[in-house]
Amino acid sequence: MPVKASRLLLVLACLVFVTHFTAEAQSVTVVPTSLSFGNQIQGTASAIKKVSLKNGQSAAITIASISTGLPDYSYASNCPVSPATLAASASCAMSIVFTPSTLGSRPATLTIKDTGTSSPQVVTLSGTGIAPSLVSLSVTPTNTSIFAGSTQQFTATGTFNNGSTQDLTSTVKWSSSSTAVATERSGGLAAGVAQGIATITASSGTVSASATLTVTPAILTSLSVTPGTASVPAGKTQQFIATGTYSNGTTQNLNSTAKWTSSSTTVATVKSTGLVTGVAQGTSTITAAVGAISGIATLT
């Protein structure tokens, strides 16, 4: 190749290099050009990531706007926005935080519009919203007592790693340590079966919590006297029956333990076993009582 041609090519290459170098030096740049926030629990804020904007031009520039395009990404900036200017060779910074509002991938772009020759400058933003995970459970009441045959509603409250709490009563798995003492239905409703102590547990995956349920003997809830209405001649007798119903659904003949009374002993008298004798014409109310629980019948 002739010497003159070689020199010409060398000059051209130098001009290209100088032109490229000068353009790079005089442009407005942003570093880095992408930010990845990875997985972030929905509704919680990520660690701050920074972006630097440098004015490589020989004159000041005016920044018209800074935006992320998605509310999930917020920023704080010391970059001067119009009408203030960023001086030549000066830099400013933006702090970006990712707070996912929904689950899944949340791509966005940080866009900086200015009077620089390379405007707009863009930074690719990426992050994924993930569901909070359960870290603990609590069961309330923690220690309670019921009669056999009655029920107790328990509540399970979950605490998540984002600090939130939620009523999980209807979704956790419930169990009883002794079904002979108490059974646990879905939804946290425990039923007392017989006297004793049972541990009631709520679990979700590997997370669980328990409460203590003490079941005491069944109590008398009602008492009925039969027949409800009877009629006998004076001097004749009528046997009444007192039947008690208990909190566990069982019934029992209480004739020998109930206290029997007649509202009018001039009409009828009653023995301790519930045997009534007609005395004279009229009507009397026959009552059987066990403590505060009573039942009545009418004798004519």
Side-chain angles (χ1 to χ4, degrees):
M1 180 182 291
V3 174
K4 288 186 178 181
S6 298
R7 289 179 178 177
L8 179 61
L9 288 175
L10 179 62
V11 170
L12 289 174
C14 289
L15 287 173
V16 169
F17 174 78
V18 170
T19 302
H20 176 74
F21 179 80
T22 303
E24 285 291 320
Q26 291 183 346
S27 65
V28 180
T29 56
V30 63
V31 177
T33 56
S34 66
L35 291 177
S36 175
F37 291 85
N39 293 334
Q40 185 66 33
I41 299 170
Q42 181 183 2
T44 65
S46 70
I48 294 172
K49 290 183 180 289
K50 291 186 177 293
V51 171
S52 176
L53 179 73
K54 182 176 181 180
N55 178 13
Q57 298 186 164
S58 58
I61 62 170
T62 298
I63 299 174
S65 65
I66 303 172
S67 66
T68 63
L70 193 68
D72 293 34
Y73 297 91
S74 58
Y75 73 90
S77 170
N78 63 2
C79 293
V81 179
S82 181
T85 59
L86 182 64
S89 300
S91 297
C92 63
M94 285 148 280
S95 299
I96 316 299
V97 173
F98 175 48
T99 308
S101 58
T102 61
L103 302 180
S105 178
R106 307 293 291 162
T109 302
L110 174 69
T111 303
I112 305 161
K113 295 181 179 181
D114 51 59
T115 56
T117 56
S118 57
S119 178
Q121 292 78 39
V122 295
V123 177
T124 301
L125 305 176
S126 63
T128 301
I130 60 174
S133 59
L134 183 67
V135 294
S136 67
L137 277 170
S138 63
V139 177
T140 53
T142 57
N143 194 334
T144 190
S145 176
I146 61 173
F147 296 108
S150 59
T151 59
Q152 172 65 53
Q153 178 65 56
F154 287 94
T155 299
T157 302
T159 299
F160 294 82
N161 59 353
N162 63 351
S164 66
T165 59
Q166 186 177 344
D167 185 344
L168 300 179
T169 303
S170 61
T171 58
V172 296
K173 180 181 178 181
W174 292 93
S175 62
S176 169
S177 63
S178 176
T179 55
V181 173
T183 58
E184 183 57 55
R185 305 170 189 170
S186 61
L189 186 66
V193 177
Q195 185 176 1
I197 297 176
T199 299
I200 304 301
T201 300
S203 59
S204 178
T206 59
V207 182
S208 64
S210 300
T212 300
L213 178 64
T214 301
V215 180
T216 57
I219 60 168
L220 182 66
T221 56
S222 65
L223 197 155
S224 63
V225 177
T226 54
T229 302
S231 177
V232 296
K236 298 296 182 177
T237 61
Q238 171 67 52
Q239 179 65 56
F240 286 92
I241 303 297
T243 302
T245 300
Y246 290 81
S247 58
N248 61 357
T250 62
T251 59
Q252 187 177 342
N253 185 310
L254 300 179
N255 271 39
S256 61
T257 55
K259 180 181 179 181
W260 293 91
T261 57
S262 170
S263 64
S264 176
T265 55
T266 59
V267 173
T269 59
V270 59
K271 294 183 178 181
S272 60
T273 58
L275 183 65
V276 177
T277 301
V279 177
Q281 184 177 357
T283 300
S284 178
T285 299
I286 306 301
T287 301
V290 176
I293 307 296
S294 63
I296 61 172
T298 301
L299 177 69
T300 301

